[in-house]
């Protein structure tokens, strides 16, 4: 595949549960709309947990504007997914439908090997990884997460040349970036579900005979995974940290504040590693207004669209009031249909799969104009 001209750019989308994914959706929509840059056109797209889900949608050609419209309940008649099912019937919570795993509930530690290894050498593991080994296998099925990806993914993997979903091997605690060179082969729905599989909540995902869980156990951002890729610019959106977190009052707020502090420190450390190698790094985090709407329970589904709408507003303001908007506007413009929603009434929807492939063909503009559309009555 040919790559777009211009600087080599990486996009890193961090963990953050249901509401972290909502914040990512709104923020990416604002970035695309205000700057004309297509986030899915980054040469590397790396996602962890919620970021893996949003990143997979981007990598498969689903533009942020469509994610926002779909979340709001908008109907797109005539639009079908790769399995021929109407898009109007798709779950609007990006896979956040909590259904119990079939079978007898699992008892005891979810990973005896990780539990015992981390007990013997706790300094080799993050606190989250130490705890996760002792937690029981989660009772919640990852099938709704897989179904969300199946609805947008035509093949076994995204058409993007470097989409990576970060997970953790549940036996060793080691980080695995599915989609990268040398990683275990995995269907895209399974890789995304593995990256999202919070220990003790979701059931671990088995791939090639091994079980994998949430990549956030290693790091909420995993920004440093791109340190050796020789990129010119890396843009990292991290829902789990913030420069604007207010002083905590309740117990829940104190826990959330501590988590965000630790995530922010890790993010800063990872960013320094890239900058030492000559890569420009732009860090984007929720504002205090975003945090007020998100609250402390990031797995809450009731506030999901409110978080999206708030993120659109706060990110748009940030792009106008800071140098960030000017910097991103310098990047090569994306395929129009993947950047901004057409102003006219949508009587026909673009074929996002074709447009996603058009990102990596030359010339991209000609491919975009030639891409077929799916008519809607």
């Amino acid at each position: 595949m040919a790559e777009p001209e211009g600087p080599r750019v990486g996009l890193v989308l961090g963990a953050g549960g249901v509401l972290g994914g909502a914040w990512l959706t709104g923020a990416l929509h604002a970035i695309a709309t205000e700057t004309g840059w297509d986030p899915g056109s980054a040469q590397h797209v790396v996602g962890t947990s919620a970021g893996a889900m949003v990143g997979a949608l981007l990598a498969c050609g689903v533009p942020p504007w469509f994610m926002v419209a779909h979340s709001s309940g908008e109907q797109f008649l005539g639009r079908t997914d790769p399995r021929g099912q109407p898009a109007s019937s798709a779950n609007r919570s990006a896979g956040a439908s909590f259904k119990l795993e079939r079978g007898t509930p699992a008892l005891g530690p979810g990973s005896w090997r990780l539990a015992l290894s981390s007990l013997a050498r706790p300094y080799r593991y993050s606190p989250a990884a130490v705890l996760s080994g002792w937690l029981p296998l989660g009772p919640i099925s990852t099938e709704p997460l897989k179904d969300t990806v199946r609805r947008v993914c035509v093949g076994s993997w995204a058409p993007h040349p470097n989409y990576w979903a970060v997970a953790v091997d549940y036996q060793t605690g080691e980080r695995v970036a599915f989609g990268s060179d040398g990683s275990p082969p995995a269907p895209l729905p399974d890789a995304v579900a593995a990256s999202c599989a919070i220990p003790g909540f979701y059931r671990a995902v088995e791939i090639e005979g091994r079980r994998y869980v949430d990549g956030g156990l290693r790091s909420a951002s995993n920004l440093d995974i791109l340190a050796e890729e020789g990129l010119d610019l890396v843009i990292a959106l991290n829902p789990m940290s913030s420069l604007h977190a207010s002083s905590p009052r309740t117990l829940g707020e104190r826990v959330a504040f501590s988590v965000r502090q630790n995530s922010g420190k890790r993010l800063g450390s990872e960013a320094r590693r890239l900058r030492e190698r000559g890569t420009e790094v732009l860090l984007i985090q929720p504002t205090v207004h975003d945090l007020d709407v998100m609250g402390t329970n990031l797995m809450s589904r009731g506030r999901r669209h409110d978080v999206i709408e708030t993120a659109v507003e706060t990110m748009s303001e940030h792009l106008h009031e800071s140098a960030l908007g000017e910097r991103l506007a310098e990047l090569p413009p994306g395929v129009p249909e993947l950047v901004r929603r057409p102003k006219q009434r949508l009587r026909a929807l673009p074929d996002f799969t074709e447009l996603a492939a058009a990102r990596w063909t030359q010339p991209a503009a000609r491919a975009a104009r030639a891409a077929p559309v799916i008519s809607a009555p």
Side-chain angles (χ1 to χ4, degrees):
M1 289 186 180
E3 291 191 353
E5 298 179 358
R8 287 181 53 79
V9 179
L11 177 68
V12 176
L13 305 176
V18 174
L19 298 186
W23 178 81
L24 289 170
T25 299
L28 290 169
H29 173 59
I31 287 173
T33 301
E34 299 295 336
T35 70
W37 178 64
D38 170 19
S41 69
Q43 279 78 2
H44 284 73
V45 175
V46 177
T48 299
S49 198
M53 174 62 75
V54 176
L57 299 182
L58 280 178
C60 290
V62 182
W65 69 258
F66 186 85
M67 297 183 204
V68 173
H70 187 265
S71 173
S72 71
E74 188 168 345
Q75 297 283 340
F76 292 92
L77 300 178
R79 175 78 176 169
T80 59
D81 65 23
R83 297 180 296 181
Q85 298 179 0
S88 58
S89 67
N91 187 289
R92 298 183 184 274
S93 62
S97 296
F98 304 143
K99 300 179 180 180
L100 292 177
E101 182 75 18
R102 294 180 179 178
T104 305
L107 301 176
S111 173
W112 276 107
R113 179 175 171 182
L114 180 58
L116 296 176
S117 297
S118 62
L119 184 64
R121 298 180 179 85
Y123 53 86
R124 296 182 55 184
Y125 304 90
S126 69
V130 172
L131 174 63
S132 69
W134 292 98
L135 293 174
L137 286 176
I140 304 301
S141 171
T142 59
E143 283 303 311
L145 298 170
K146 296 177 185 179
D147 281 340
T148 298
V149 179
R150 292 181 185 122
R151 282 185 170 273
V152 301
C153 177
V154 176
S156 60
W157 199 256
H160 194 288
N162 290 301
Y163 166 71
W164 299 352
V166 181
V168 165
D169 187 311
Y170 204 23
Q171 289 182 282
T172 65
E174 295 179 353
R175 178 171 67 184
V176 176
F178 290 107
S180 65
D181 291 341
S183 65
L188 182 63
D190 290 359
V192 173
S195 183
C196 295
I198 304 170
F201 185 79
Y202 282 118
R203 185 61 55 93
V205 177
E206 185 170 323
I207 297 174
E208 293 287 301
R210 298 185 72 86
R211 292 180 301 161
Y212 296 90
V213 291
D214 197 323
L217 295 185
R218 169 60 165 68
S219 165
S221 47
N222 285 298
L223 173 61
D224 60 330
I225 204 169
L226 292 178
E228 307 301 329
E229 298 303 317
L231 300 176
D232 301 303
L233 170 66
V234 172
I235 303 157
L237 284 77
N238 199 52
M240 291 290 289
S241 59
S242 177
L243 297 175
H244 309 282
S246 56
S247 298
R249 293 167 294 180
T250 67
L251 177 60
E253 289 176 350
R254 286 196 290 271
V255 172
F257 183 80
S258 177
V259 170
R260 291 192 179 280
Q261 270 194 322
N262 292 331
S263 177
K265 291 178 181 177
R266 182 61 180 261
L267 179 68
S269 175
E270 294 173 350
R272 284 193 296 274
R273 183 177 174 190
L274 268 71
R275 288 169 177 150
E276 289 170 355
R277 286 161 172 74
T279 300
E280 180 185 0
V281 180
L282 299 177
L283 303 180
I284 303 174
Q285 304 166 79
T287 69
V288 65
H289 303 294
D290 295 306
L291 298 182
D292 286 343
V293 181
M294 293 169 77
T296 58
N297 179 12
L298 295 180
M299 297 302 289
S300 172
R301 294 173 292 177
R303 298 190 304 277
R304 184 175 179 275
H305 197 68
D306 291 337
V307 171
I308 291 177
E309 292 181 329
T310 302
V312 173
E313 295 177 4
T314 59
M315 183 55 65
S316 297
E317 292 176 2
H318 184 48
L319 292 168
H320 284 289
E321 296 173 357
S322 70
L324 177 64
E326 294 181 2
R327 180 67 186 92
L328 295 181
E330 294 172 356
L331 298 175
V335 177
E337 294 90 337
L338 298 180
V339 173
R340 298 185 179 96
R341 178 173 181 157
K343 294 183 179 179
Q344 67 273 21
R345 185 172 179 269
L346 287 175
R347 294 184 178 276
L349 285 174
D351 187 327
F352 296 137
T353 302
E354 292 292 334
L355 291 173
R359 289 170 172 151
W360 312 104
T361 57
Q362 295 294 335
R366 184 188 308 163
R369 287 194 295 270
V373 297
I374 299 175
S375 298

